[in-house]
């Protein structure tokens, strides 16, 4: 961009291509219903899988906040911003996922930048699933390591790439649950390859924590990988606190030495103000609710079953997902937008996801189900899809 006119022209081009984006203002909200441009819509567009972000803070949460807790951290962790609420949350999170230590970050994006840039450098190689989240792509680029991408969930391809590598530092990086597809990575297969190649393994469980596995402990629990992960000190786990956990922020859990290294090296830990202690205390309160309120996971599971069953035998193309993320593959950008518009006319908010967020030719609707939905809400979505989704 040489000047302001170039920006105007580029924006016009995006407009022309139907790819210009702007945030929709949520003027009011009530559970999973949101008011946008004066109209109430039933939302299937959040990552609030347990419905906790949409609720007023629980009594438990308010009680936790009533104790002396600061709003602002006042500084970065290493200066004077590391407070009791952070320390408590880190202990609880490590215990929750079954790894030695946890470190909280302001966001998942920052956590991903932290891990990749601290552990691999110019001479290293990052082996990444093609469908990894954008923050992992950016993290790999910022690390300056060679970025090698393997076909989605194709461990044979990954193995082939690893066997051609003589880089001194290697890191395998994968989403545990893919954010635009809803399918899962094979954690045992990934760990096995990491061990054989003495590579780091970094797993981003943004969409698994809170919803998958016993007690909602995430993808490691769901795939019975807690012990194996803990036994391999080069395995690193990350999850966010802003999706199922309903607050904001993220954490990395790993071997104690890895965490100490991040504290010393990770620029997105060192050069940024610590997460507000108020939010850390809220995350602790919500973590207890994840464990105690198993009905949320059961309800979500019922919604997933009902949704897939309700569209069985219909022309709409569901993707092979067993999670709260239930995309409907459409193909052409325009068709995805048209279907999303038709649903919106019917009072339903379901985002059309288009390139570059997903590969060209795979535009889709990203239906995201939540325990905050009532069975009638899911039935209404199924009905609207059946009516509007005929090819
Ligand atoms: C949302 C998401 C992130 C980013 O987390 P934030 O806390 O929102 O910054 C990282 N990885 C994956 C897979 C995500 O879905």
């Amino acid at each position: 961009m040489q000047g302001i006119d170039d920006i105007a022209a580029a924006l016009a081009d995006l407009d022309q291509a139907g790819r210009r984006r702007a945030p929709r203002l949520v003027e009011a909200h009530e559970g999973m219903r949101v008011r946008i441009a004066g109209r109430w819509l039933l939302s299937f567009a959040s990552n609030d899988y347990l419905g906790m972000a949409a609720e007023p803070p629980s009594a438990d949460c308010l009680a936790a906040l009533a104790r002396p807790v600061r709003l602002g951290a006042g500084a970065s962790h290493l200066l004077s911003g590391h407070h009791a609420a952070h320390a408590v949350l880190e202990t609880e999170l490590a215990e929750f996922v079954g790894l030695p230590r946890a470190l909280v970050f302001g966001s998942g994006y920052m956590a991903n930048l932290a891990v990749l840039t601290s552990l691999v450098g110019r001479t290293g190689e990052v082996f990444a699933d093609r469908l990894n989240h954008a923050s992992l792509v950016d993290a790999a680029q910022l690390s300056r390591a060679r970025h090698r991408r393997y076909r989605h969930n194709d461990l044979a391809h990954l193995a082939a790439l690893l066997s051609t590598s003589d880089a001194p530092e290697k890191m395998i990086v994968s989403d545990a649950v893919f954010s635009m597809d809803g399918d899962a990575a094979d954690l045992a297969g990934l760990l096995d390859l990491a061990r054989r190649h003495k590579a780091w393994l970094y797993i981003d469980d943004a969409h698994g924590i809170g919803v998958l596995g016993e007690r909602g402990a995430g993808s490691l629990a769901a795939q019975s990988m807690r012990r194996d992960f803990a036994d391999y000190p080069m395995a690193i786990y990350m999850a966010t606190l802003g999706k199922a956990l309903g607050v904001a922020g993220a954490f990395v859990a790993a071997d104690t030495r890895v965490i100490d290294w991040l504290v010393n090296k990770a620029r997105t830990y060192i050069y940024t103000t610590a997460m507000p202690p108020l939010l850390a205390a809220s995350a602790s309160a919500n973590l207890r609710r994840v464990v105690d309120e198993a009905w949320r996971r059961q309800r979500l599971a019922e919604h997933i079953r009902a949704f897939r069953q309700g569209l069985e035998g219909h022309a709409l193309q569901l993707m092979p997902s067993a999670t709260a993320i239930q995309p409907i593959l459409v193909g052409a950008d325009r068709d995805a937008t048209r279907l999303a518009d038709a649903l919106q006319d019917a009072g339903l908010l379901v985002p059309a996801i288009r390139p570059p967020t997903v590969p060209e030719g795979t535009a889709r609707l990203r239906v995201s189900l939540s325990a905050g939905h009532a069975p009638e809400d899911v039935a209404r979505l199924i009905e609207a899809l059946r009516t509007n989704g005929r090819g």
Side-chain angles (χ1 to χ4, degrees), residues 52-75:
M52 293 198 298
E55 290 175 5
S58 67
D60 193 26
C61 185
L62 291 173
L65 304 184
R67 290 198 298 270
V69 60
R70 297 170 60 115
L71 172 52

Side-chain angles (χ1 to χ4, degrees), residues 326-347:
Q326 288 292 330
I328 295 166
L329 191 60
V330 176
D333 288 17
R334 208 157 313 202
D335 294 338
T337 316
R338 203 176 296 138
L339 183 50
D341 288 346
L343 292 175
Q344 186 154 335
D345 289 343

Side-chain angles (χ1 to χ4, degrees), residues 15-69:
D15 235 347
Q16 198 72 37
R19 286 192 178 173
R20 180 158 172 177
R21 302 176 181 201
R24 282 181 275 238
L25 176 64
V26 177
E27 301 154 345
H29 57 93
E30 174 79 56
M32 303 309 284
R33 281 161 185 75
V34 292
R35 199 180 74 214
I36 291 172
R39 231 178 123 221
W40 282 96
L41 298 170
L42 174 57
S43 171
F44 291 92
S46 81
N47 300 309
D48 180 19
Y49 304 126
L50 296 179
M52 293 198 298
E55 290 175 5
S58 67
D60 193 26
C61 185
L62 291 173
L65 304 184
R67 290 198 298 270
V69 60

Side-chain angles (χ1 to χ4, degrees), residues 183-243:
D183 58 342
D186 170 3
L187 299 185
L190 290 172
L191 185 66
D192 181 51
L193 283 173
R195 278 181 181 282
R196 270 197 271 157
H197 293 272
K198 293 194 171 54
W200 295 98
L201 174 61
Y202 184 47
I203 296 297
D204 175 340
D205 199 23
H207 300 280
I209 192 141
V211 290
L212 299 181
E214 206 184 332
R215 302 198 310 156
S219 293
L220 298 185
Q223 298 192 29
S224 303
M225 289 297 293
R226 283 164 65 107
R227 172 83 46 84
D228 294 313
F229 230 72
D231 281 349
Y232 184 58
M234 291 176 77
I236 305 172
Y237 177 88
M238 181 284 255
T240 65
L241 305 173
K243 288 170 177 152

